[in-house]
Amino acid sequence: GGTVGSGAVTVAVVQGNVPRLGLDFNAQRRAVLDNHVNATVRLAQDVAAGRVVQPQLVVWPENSSDIDPLRNADAAARISLAADTVRAPILVGAVLGGPRAGQVRNAGLLWRPGSGPDLEQTYVKRHPVPFAEYVPMRDIARMVSSQVDRVRSDFVAGDRPGVVSTGAVTVGDVICFEVAYDAVVRDTVTGGAQILAVQTNNATFDEAEARQQLAMVRLRAVEHGREALMASTVGVSGFVDASGRVSGATGFNTGAVVVAQMGTGAGLTVATRLAWWPEALGVV
């Protein structure tokens, strides 16, 4: 069965928080990115001072860089500063340009110190949310309500499981409420993930919704025998062991950095092996 093996990796989760009022759209995006950069630089200072263990991986949440760093040199420079200073790869939650005009991608982009973005180790969200991240049949939907055009760009779905190899560890990455999809999480484990990561942006949630999402992370950790983390812009972020126990949970609507040693998992649990078969048999 799936078990946490003898290996371990030190991981930092950065919860940069978001400004609430008084900024236009572009300034808001830049402030969120700066919050995550600055928190990571402070983490590096704590490591240098011996207050915190050197992380082997840093995880930022979904939407931590809504400015596409592959197309914006200033955003790229800021993320490189953070990665180079903390001396560890950062899994950045980034909004990237899409293949065509009017399209974007919601991605977990691995940014390495010294070399920058590793496009081979990038996960694009496979289940964007209809009418929130994209508008299906937009022309028809517009006949029902012009409000559909408030979704200005359509997020296009990725087509590969979120298996991200950092060198130190293989991460099973899912984005936001993809954690609720059995197959999306399972695909990362059968693809070799040793730990699970859920990158999320809870800025429009209340605290109860954020904690509900953390409960889903706990379920997945137990189901697949993998330690897991949740990285949120505003909270709740934290770590979950393979028996579902939460540690290092952050507060809500606040900035925080949490560092933990995570056991790396190996093998497949009975639940991972059986996949959807118990559900199918249960409805026969």
Side-chain angles (χ1 to χ4, degrees):
T3 58
V4 174
S6 58
V9 61
T10 303
V11 182
V13 171
V14 174
Q15 177 179 305
N17 208 15
V18 303
R20 290 284 149 183
L21 295 169
L23 296 175
D24 66 26
F25 180 67
N26 287 319
Q28 175 96 2
R29 295 189 305 170
R30 179 55 191 259
V32 172
L33 174 58
D34 282 343
N35 282 358
H36 287 86
V37 170
N38 295 338
T40 304
V41 170
R42 288 193 297 271
L43 167 63
Q45 293 168 345
D46 286 340
V47 170
R51 291 187 290 267
V52 178
V53 177
Q54 169 68 49
Q56 295 162 277
L57 171 66
V58 177
V59 181
W60 288 3
E62 178 189 25
N63 299 126
S64 48
S65 183
D66 275 359
I67 305 168
D68 181 352
L70 303 182
R71 300 186 181 190
N72 183 291
D74 189 44
R78 294 292 291 157
I79 299 170
S80 288
L81 170 68
D84 295 350
T85 306
V86 81
R87 295 182 300 143
I90 302 173
L91 185 60
V92 179
V95 174
L96 306 177
R100 293 198 294 272
Q103 293 182 332
V104 288
R105 294 169 293 162
N106 191 346
L109 170 62
L110 193 70
W111 203 279
R112 296 189 185 274
S115 58
D118 185 343
L119 300 183
E120 291 297 310
Q121 303 301 329
T122 295
Y123 169 61
V124 176
K125 185 176 184 181
R126 289 192 286 167
H127 276 273
V129 180
F131 300 103
E133 291 182 306
Y134 74 99
V135 179
M137 298 180 292
R138 187 182 286 266
D139 289 342
I140 296 172
R142 193 180 290 118
M143 288 191 272
V144 178
S145 172
S146 62
Q147 296 299 310
V148 298
D149 288 321
R150 294 178 65 183
V151 180
R152 291 176 290 180
S153 300
D154 285 327
F155 282 83
V156 293
D159 58 5
R160 293 189 299 174
V163 180
V164 178
S165 177
T166 73
V169 66
T170 301
V171 180
D173 185 33
V174 298
I175 297 176
C176 201
F177 271 104
E178 285 191 320
V179 70
Y181 290 93
D182 294 348
V184 174
V185 181
R186 180 180 182 272
D187 281 355
T188 72
V189 178
T190 57
Q194 297 169 297
I195 63 172
L196 301 176
V198 179
Q199 297 176 284
T200 188
N201 176 10
N202 291 349
T204 58
F205 293 6
D206 61 26
E207 186 169 354
E209 289 172 306
R211 293 194 178 278
Q212 178 191 50
Q213 193 172 29
L214 183 60
M216 294 182 191
V217 180
R218 295 176 65 192
L219 171 67
R220 297 307 184 190
V222 174
E223 178 183 12
H224 296 294
R226 294 293 189 273
E227 297 202 1
L229 65 88
M230 186 161 104
S232 167
T233 45
V234 302
V236 176
S237 304
F239 294 91
V240 180
D241 70 17
S243 63
R245 284 189 294 265
V246 177
S247 62
T250 62
F252 195 66
N253 284 348
T254 185
V257 176
V258 191
V259 181
Q261 189 174 79
M262 301 181 71
T264 54
L268 302 179
T269 64
V270 172
T272 308
R273 291 177 189 277
L274 291 178
W276 48 266
W277 279 105
E279 297 166 57
L281 292 172
V283 297
V284 171

